[in-house]
Amino acid sequence: MKIAKASVNICSPGRNFVTLKIETDEGIYGLGDGTLNGRELAVASYLSEHVIPCILHRDPFQTEDIWQYLYRGAYWRRGPVTMSAIAAVDMALWDIKGKALSTPVYNLLGGRSRDGVLVYAHAHGAGIDEACDDVARHLAMGYKAIRVQSGIPGLDATYGVPKGGQPYEPAERGLPSESRWSTEKYLNHVPKLFARVREQFGDDLHLLHDCHHRLSPIEAARLGRELEPFHLFWMEDPISAEFQEGFRVIREHTTTPIATGEVLNSIWDVHELIRNQWIDYTRLTLTHAGGFTALKKIADFAGLYHVRTGCHGPTDLSPVCMAAALHFDLAIHNFGIQEHMPHGKETDEVFPHSYRFEDGYMFPGDAPGLGVDLDEKLAAKFPYQRAYLPVLRKLDGTLWDW
Ligand code: KDG
Ligand code: MG
């Protein structure tokens, strides 16, 4: 079997997605997600102009050699654009392999290591009362793990809390919006939020929180310590993820488990964090970190240090990535948890899939390959629209990490 054709689909059924379709001379095709929120066209052109011409006529079963060719062979390595493009190819090739062998991809990754994939939902609210109402709503849906974010008194907007009761969607059409930030107000508020949530919902529920890269190491250490009585599953991205050494300070001061890595793209971005046991969960995901071929190696390395996985799973990764993540999560040994932000109706219709949610767990389904498709006719009705993530400034106007 040979790769006969490959094409990039860019569509916007509610938000932008970049999908690579690789077709073989035997009529089998595979899909890969290359979506990079706010920089979609960079990956699309990297794929069309620089990658597709190099993979034509190759054997799609050679996932390792093709991965090495696109990574080592390109001389220029790493970074979100390159790694998302490589990931799209890798995912599509594993999809082809599964379809050709008539088996779900998880069977090619080692087979099932568990019955289902524990997922966490997002609960949020303008204040503590509203956030608690949203926790109750998700509990009623069956979720066993819930991330909680709430508005901060004195700030107009904050990460993870949508305006007007919509599901949270970080990208906004048009140019980037700006909002203001105060670390002091945030640090004073968050322990109160989790004190209330634990008091109201008891000890059984797994609680998570995303600091979204905004603190310094010693500020994060203070927050981690103050959250200790509420036994979080994890405190995510307390500081900017690329500052690996900064996690040492946090670790020395608190037992609150730490997760990071959704913006990281290779083993070289996390190996100090893992080797030094400064984190408990890696957030790297298949789309932004080079696909199955790369993430399996990162997970195996992390497993040696008792670090578990918690793949990033926002709406800005397409259902192709969600399907791929579920195969990965079901198969690897050191799986921790999977993020689940359900896609909107339009997205689900453009990407029909076999995965499903039931009672706090997700299941990839048993369709051969990834079990996800792209309805190209319907996708054509939703053309790309420029969109960006917001930009953040401190109260005095200093540009800050969003
Ligand atoms: O594109 C950025 C989002 O994926 C990110 O803000 C979501 O932090 C995020 C999360 O944990 O899902
Ligand atoms: Mg996050």
Side-chain angles (χ1 to χ4, degrees):
M1 188 158 52
K2 297 272 178 260
I3 297 173
K5 196 177 156 200
S7 53
V8 180
N9 180 287
I10 309 167
C11 64
S12 195
R15 64 159 351 283
N16 293 322
F17 295 111
V18 175
T19 312
L20 176 69
K21 180 174 184 178
I22 299 183
E23 297 173 59
T24 68
D25 56 357
E26 294 185 14
I28 298 176
Y29 66 88
L31 298 176
D33 179 29
T35 309
L36 184 60
N37 203 1
R39 296 292 185 271
E40 296 88 358
L41 300 187
V43 183
S45 109
Y46 191 107
L47 281 166
S48 306
E49 304 297 326
H50 305 294
V51 170
I52 290 175
C54 301
I55 60 172
L56 296 178
H57 317 302
R58 289 176 187 271
D59 173 356
F61 269 61
Q62 288 184 285
T63 43
E64 183 67 36
D65 187 66
I66 292 175
W67 194 95
Q68 298 294 345
Y69 187 91
L70 295 175
Y71 181 81
R72 289 174 185 253
Y75 188 63
W76 311 109
R77 300 176 183 185
R78 305 166 62 182
V81 175
T82 297
M83 299 311 283
S84 300
I86 296 177
V89 173
D90 190 74
M91 240 181 255
L93 297 182
W94 282 90
D95 192 18
I96 289 172
K97 263 195 225 200
K99 287 175 177 169
L101 298 171
S102 236
T103 193
V105 167
Y106 65 75
N107 275 337
L108 306 177
L109 300 171
R112 284 190 296 150
S113 285
R114 54 195 54 79
D115 301 330
V117 172
L118 178 71
V119 294
Y120 72 90
H122 286 201
H124 42 67
I128 293 179
D129 288 342
E130 293 88 340
C132 286
D133 291 348
D134 210 25
V135 171
R137 192 171 68 82
H138 283 93
L139 275 173
M141 290 163 74
Y143 284 100
K144 319 256 178 275
I146 304 183
R147 180 186 104 159
V148 191
Q149 312 286 136
S150 100
I152 316 286
L155 296 181
D156 288 346
T158 191
Y159 168 76
V161 182
K163 293 164 205 147
Q166 320 274 358
Y168 182 62
E169 165 50 62
E172 290 166 16
R173 303 228 155 121
L175 294 176
S177 65
E178 290 196 11
S179 52
R180 295 283 164 144
W181 173 250
S182 159
T183 298
E184 296 72 22
K185 292 184 196 302
Y186 170 80
L187 287 177
N188 288 335
H189 179 71
V190 174
K192 294 179 197 149
L193 168 68
F194 281 93
R196 246 301 282 292
V197 174
R198 263 296 173 235
E199 192 198 336
Q200 190 168 331
F201 297 99
D203 291 332
D204 284 348
L205 171 64
H206 294 304
L207 293 175
L208 301 86
H209 180 70
D210 192 346
C211 307
H212 223 260
H213 322 272
R214 292 163 189 204
L215 306 176
S216 71
I218 202 67
E219 290 162 351
R222 166 183 153 190
L223 182 62
R225 202 178 260 195
E226 291 187 13
L227 291 174
E228 277 173 23
F230 315 120
H231 297 145
L232 263 57
F233 187 96
W234 78 35
M235 174 168 86
E236 177 182 341
D237 285 334
I239 60 173
S240 51
E242 68 268 34
F243 181 20
Q244 296 194 39
E245 181 76 17
F247 285 82
R248 182 174 54 80
V249 176
I250 308 173
R251 195 56 141 190
E252 282 169 357
H253 288 88
T254 179
T255 57
T256 293
I258 312 289
T260 199
E262 67 182 42
V263 297
L264 303 180
N265 319 111
S266 90
I267 184 73
W268 301 108
D269 299 333
V270 279
H271 83 293
E272 291 293 341
L273 292 170
I274 294 170
R275 198 172 57 77
N276 291 300
Q277 299 162 64
W278 290 333
I279 60 168
D280 302 279
Y281 297 92
T282 63
R283 297 273 292 139
L284 282 85
T285 191
L286 289 154
T287 293
H288 298 146
F292 292 107
T293 299
L295 206 60
K296 180 78 167 68
K297 291 172 187 170
I298 296 173
D300 287 342
F301 176 64
L304 299 178
Y305 296 90
H306 288 227
V307 174
R308 294 191 286 157
T309 64
C311 283
H312 193 206
T315 40
D316 46 89
L317 294 164
S318 88
V320 177
C321 180
M322 189 70 213
L326 293 173
H327 287 274
F328 182 78
D329 297 338
L330 200 66
I332 60 164
H333 179 255
N334 56 323
F335 164 75
I337 201 164
Q338 168 68 48
E339 181 175 18
H340 180 220
M341 264 176 97
H343 287 105
K345 190 169 165 284
E346 289 172 340
T347 300
D348 281 340
E349 282 170 2
V350 167
F351 294 94
H353 49 260
S354 65
Y355 61 76
R356 66 190 168 86
F357 169 85
E358 196 185 315
D359 199 27
Y361 292 85
M362 286 184 78
F363 305 87
D366 287 328
L370 294 175
V372 62
D373 211 343
L374 169 67
D375 181 336
E376 290 177 76
K377 257 202 195 136
L378 188 58
K381 295 192 178 150
F382 301 101
Y384 167 80
Q385 299 194 31
R386 188 188 304 281
Y388 287 93
L389 289 167
V391 166
L392 195 62
R393 292 183 185 277
K394 295 192 98 175
L395 294 179
D396 69 357
T398 308
L399 198 95
W400 207 242
D401 302 72
W402 178 78

